[in-house]
Amino acid sequence: MRAALWFVGLFALAVALALFAGNNQGMVSLFWPPYRVDISLNMALLALLGLFVLCYASLRGVAVLGQLPEQTRRWRQQQKERKLYAALIRSLAHLQAGRFVRASKSARELLEHSNSLRHSNAAVPLDSSLRSIAHLLAADSAHALQDPSVRDQHYAQLLEDTSHQPSPLAQEVREGAQMRAARWALDDRNPQESLQRLAQLPQGAARRTLALRIKLKAARLAQDNATALETTRLLAKHGGFTPASASSLIASLVGEEIRACHDTQQLEKLWRSLPTAEQHHPDIALPAVRQWMALAGDAAQARQWLLPLWEAYIQGQLPTYQAQRLFLALQHSLENLDGTWLKRIEQAQTHYPKEALLQYLGGMACLQRQLWGKAEQLLRQSLPRLQDTALQASCWRALAILAEQRNDPAAATTAWRAAALARD
């Protein structure tokens, strides 16, 4: 459409010029005594137009000649900038390809080109950030080449350069360099220095997923379980782990904290500091109860900690292997069994009369209350269907004790031998 309009416009202009020039009888007379020159008006207009074009072209030519030095300087600066960006790309490519010597060399070339541009007073966009990135690439290459002195030299120069730059990009480069430095310290098996460098980060940067991952590795290497646990919870909150991985790692760290407790007060304080979701986790509650009973803690308190797992088992939400661990833990916490728990066990047996684990627990509860006959009946009913060898050994030991109570040494000896075989 635009081309058609231009064509129509040019056609109209040609028609107008033809009509004006064809019927124009005007004359122009030029007097220069003693001479006189007569030319047509059309020729005069053409001459004026040609003179205007000639003058304009002459002025433009003079302007272009005056701009040649500036254009030459700009062209040289562009060539240097292209070399600078090419050195940056080469350094990044070599670093990713594992050619660390070439990456370091390209980073030094970048710094040389930047110095050259600075000496010529040429303004390069983001020159300071480019220099900081070059120092970071050179430091990363030196770290890969196991040259800590050169690495630390470039890192110190980067921090000095970025400290005088208030731009957000410069601060991002500085924070990235600090995270890299924390990873370098971690590679050097120096977790304390890694944690110190992470502590120098601003609060927002310190809560990023990358920084938290580095902090977790450093805390694990430093055997700082409290810091590692706190960091793992933050990573789980921000989606740094899958739910299953986060749950497993938290359980492992809390388990280490539990094993480090040397008295019941310390363990109880730790338990109260745990979130409710972690208290209901089988891999946390069961080790906590074992440690609690090993420290001669109150059995009623242990049963209270196991109550959420018991309810999960009754609702069918507990896997088989964890259910077996639950009943082993309950077995060791049957001392001074109250009527409430005894009622829970009896109701569960009513709902699941053929469940071997419930029969086993009921038999152990009756044994604890000195109901010998009922205890032996329930234990013998559960014994053939118990799958866990620890539960089988415990069941045989209970039967041996019952045989000793009724003065049956032969049955007691047989039961003790069966318990030893099950344990082995």
Side-chain angles (χ1 to χ4, degrees), residues 24-303:
N24 188 5
Q25 301 297 327
M27 297 292 292
V28 175
S29 297
L30 298 176
F31 294 93
W32 189 272
Y35 304 103
R36 172 182 172 176
V37 179
D38 293 328
I39 59 175
S40 66
L41 180 59
N42 293 338
M43 181 60 70
L45 292 176
L46 288 174
L48 287 174
L49 180 60
L51 181 62
F52 172 77
V53 172
L54 181 61
C55 292
Y56 179 77
S58 300
L59 292 175
R60 290 292 298 173
V62 172
V64 170
L65 288 175
Q67 291 176 355
L68 279 178
E70 178 64 22
Q71 289 181 353
T72 302
R73 187 190 64 79
R74 190 179 304 169
W75 180 83
R76 290 176 178 173
Q77 178 181 344
Q78 289 177 350
Q79 295 301 312
K80 291 180 180 180
E81 288 182 13
R82 289 175 181 175
K83 291 181 180 179
L84 184 145
Y85 295 128
L88 174 63
I89 294 173
R90 285 197 304 272
S91 181
L92 285 170
H94 291 321
L95 184 64
Q96 295 300 320
R99 311 186 78 164
F100 304 114
V101 175
R102 295 191 179 187
S104 179
K105 181 179 178 181
S106 298
R108 290 196 300 270
E109 289 178 2
L110 192 157
L111 293 171
E112 291 173 0
H113 291 314
S114 177
N115 292 331
S116 177
L117 287 170
R118 287 191 171 189
H119 291 325
S120 60
N121 296 324
V124 180
L126 305 177
D127 176 63
S128 299
S129 297
L130 286 173
R131 290 180 61 86
S132 300
I133 293 174
H135 283 299
L136 180 58
L137 293 173
D140 222 353
S141 301
H143 174 72
L145 295 172
Q146 298 182 357
D147 192 347
S149 60
V150 175
R151 179 197 68 192
D152 295 340
Q153 179 181 356
H154 283 287
Y155 178 65
Q157 186 63 45
L158 185 151
L159 294 180
E160 182 180 355
D161 291 346
T162 54
S163 62
H164 304 295
Q165 303 174 32
S167 66
L169 180 58
Q171 294 305 313
E172 290 288 341
V173 174
R174 181 185 181 90
E175 292 168 4
Q178 290 174 319
M179 292 185 192
R180 293 295 299 173
R183 295 183 65 178
W184 297 336
L186 202 58
D187 293 340
D188 294 338
R189 313 297 292 180
N190 190 349
Q192 298 300 333
E193 183 179 356
S194 179
L195 292 172
Q196 289 176 2
R197 289 180 173 176
L198 289 174
Q200 296 172 358
L201 287 170
Q203 185 175 4
R207 297 176 70 87
R208 295 173 188 166
T209 301
L210 177 60
L212 290 176
R213 288 182 181 276
I214 298 172
K215 185 177 181 180
L216 174 59
K217 293 179 180 178
R220 293 298 300 273
L221 187 60
Q223 297 182 351
D224 187 355
N225 289 332
T227 302
L229 182 59
E230 179 184 0
T231 307
T232 304
R233 288 169 177 162
L234 284 175
L235 278 170
K237 180 180 178 181
H238 294 296
F241 291 124
T242 62
S245 299
S247 178
S248 176
L249 184 55
I250 289 175
S252 174
L253 292 171
V254 174
E256 293 179 8
E257 289 288 301
I258 290 172
R259 288 189 292 272
C261 294
H262 301 296
D263 54 58
T264 56
Q265 294 180 351
Q266 187 179 3
L267 180 55
E268 186 174 7
K269 182 180 178 181
L270 173 62
W271 180 263
R272 290 178 179 176
S273 67
L274 297 177
T276 304
E278 294 179 11
Q279 292 179 353
H280 294 176
H281 196 291
D283 291 333
I284 294 177
L286 294 174
V289 169
R290 285 199 302 269
Q291 184 71 5
W292 178 264
M293 297 307 299
L295 296 173
D298 183 21
Q301 182 66 63
R303 292 193 296 270

Side-chain angles (χ1 to χ4, degrees), residues 221-389:
L221 187 60
Q223 297 182 351
D224 187 355
N225 289 332
T227 302
L229 182 59
E230 179 184 0
T231 307
T232 304
R233 288 169 177 162
L234 284 175
L235 278 170
K237 180 180 178 181
H238 294 296
F241 291 124
T242 62
S245 299
S247 178
S248 176
L249 184 55
I250 289 175
S252 174
L253 292 171
V254 174
E256 293 179 8
E257 289 288 301
I258 290 172
R259 288 189 292 272
C261 294
H262 301 296
D263 54 58
T264 56
Q265 294 180 351
Q266 187 179 3
L267 180 55
E268 186 174 7
K269 182 180 178 181
L270 173 62
W271 180 263
R272 290 178 179 176
S273 67
L274 297 177
T276 304
E278 294 179 11
Q279 292 179 353
H280 294 176
H281 196 291
D283 291 333
I284 294 177
L286 294 174
V289 169
R290 285 199 302 269
Q291 184 71 5
W292 178 264
M293 297 307 299
L295 296 173
D298 183 21
Q301 182 66 63
R303 292 193 296 270
Q304 187 64 29
W305 290 357
L306 294 174
L307 180 58
L309 300 185
W310 171 265
E311 294 175 350
Y313 168 76
I314 297 301
Q315 296 172 4
Q317 299 176 357
L318 208 62
T320 302
Y321 75 96
Q322 290 182 346
Q324 293 172 350
R325 294 171 58 198
L326 169 64
F327 278 83
L328 279 173
L330 283 171
Q331 169 199 337
H332 293 96
S333 60
L334 290 176
E335 184 180 356
N336 299 325
L337 187 66
D338 54 11
T340 303
W341 263 98
L342 190 60
K343 184 178 180 181
R344 289 193 184 104
I345 297 173
E346 291 176 351
Q347 289 177 348
Q349 286 179 336
T350 303
H351 284 89
Y352 306 101
K354 296 183 179 181
E355 178 60 43
L357 291 175
L358 290 174
Q359 291 175 346
Y360 165 77
L361 184 63
M364 298 301 291
C366 292
L367 179 64
Q368 194 273 335
R369 284 182 166 251
Q370 298 182 359
L371 302 175
W372 315 122
K374 188 174 182 181
E376 184 174 3
Q377 178 187 359
L378 291 173
L379 290 173
R380 290 194 177 277
Q381 288 176 356
S382 65
L383 183 59
R385 291 173 304 193
L386 290 177
Q387 299 177 358
D388 188 77
T389 56

Side-chain angles (χ1 to χ4, degrees), residues 13-23:
L13 180 62
V15 171
L17 288 175
L19 291 175
F20 175 76
N23 298 323

